[in-house]
Amino acid sequence: MRTIVLGLMLLAGVEGAALACSCIPPGAPEQSRGFAREALQGVTAIVEAEAISDYRPGGPGEEVRVLRTLFGSAPPTIRLERSEHASSASCDLLLGKGERKVLMLTPAEGGTYRMQSLCSDYLTSERYLPILLEEAGWTSKAGERAERCGGGISAPA
């Protein structure tokens, strides 16, 4: 009986793990150039933003205030596009009210924007941001800009 219960628990764990988001960890920043180029497809802006609302399942996506534009252009306030059941299990990056984050933005339907997934979020971290900005088109001041902006530091309010 104990074996059957253990087997069922193991199966339940495997199913849960199969539903989780899994990403390959990045190498050194210089090795991320190809992935940065791929992640930038369709991106019109890289911004440092603060969430001014939370995501509600079935509701609209978070509303964010653009604090600083690092690349491209974006309106001062934007709404993020979300599927009905966005979650970290499906690699969606969810923001909490007051959280600050560097976002790669792509225009979506109805005036909303898509942002990066959990799998490409590392590109906005302090370590990788200079490479991302260089690949987006910044050449001489990408590193300086990234250092001044603080990278992809998330700070809940």
Side-chain angles (χ1 to χ4, degrees), residues 22-38:
S22 62
C23 307
I24 298 171
E30 277 299 320
Q31 295 172 335
S32 71
R33 285 191 183 279
F35 191 72
R37 280 190 295 274
E38 187 177 316

Side-chain angles (χ1 to χ4, degrees), residues 8-34:
L8 289 173
M9 288 175 56
L10 188 61
L11 281 176
V14 169
E15 181 180 333
L19 297 175
C21 174
S22 62
C23 307
I24 298 171
E30 277 299 320
Q31 295 172 335
S32 71
R33 285 191 183 279

Side-chain angles (χ1 to χ4, degrees), residues 12 15 19 35 41-42 52 63 68 70 76 86 91 93-94 107 116 131-132 134 145 152:
E15 181 180 333
L19 297 175
F35 191 72
Q41 297 296 314
I52 53 179
E63 189 172 7
R68 184 180 325 188
L70 302 171
C91 296
L93 180 62
L94 303 175
Q116 72 269 19
I131 299 295
L132 179 69
E134 285 175 17
R145 271 263 165 129

Side-chain angles (χ1 to χ4, degrees), residues 44-144:
T44 58
I46 299 172
V47 301
E48 181 181 9
E50 178 181 13
I52 53 179
S53 70
D54 289 315
Y55 166 71
R56 293 185 327 267
E62 302 92 326
E63 189 172 7
V64 298
R65 178 180 13 257
V66 173
L67 303 173
R68 184 180 325 188
T69 301
L70 302 171
F71 173 80
S73 63
T77 304
I78 62 170
R79 175 75 62 185
L80 298 174
E81 179 186 75
R82 292 293 186 195
S83 64
E84 190 173 334
H85 302 289
S87 74
S88 59
S90 59
C91 296
D92 292 314
L93 180 62
L94 303 175
L95 302 176
K97 186 176 180 179
E99 185 175 358
R100 288 183 176 203
K101 186 92 183 112
V102 174
L103 305 175
M104 294 184 282
L105 300 173
T106 305
E109 304 243 344
T112 62
Y113 286 81
R114 285 185 210 97
M115 66 176 173
Q116 72 269 19
S117 72
L118 283 172
C119 289
S120 58
D121 187 47
Y122 77 91
L123 291 167
T124 64
S125 70
E126 189 173 348
R127 183 173 182 213
Y128 293 88
L129 187 58
I131 299 295
L132 179 69
L133 292 174
E134 285 175 17
E135 291 302 321
W138 289 88
T139 52
S140 61
K141 299 201 178 201
E144 283 178 33

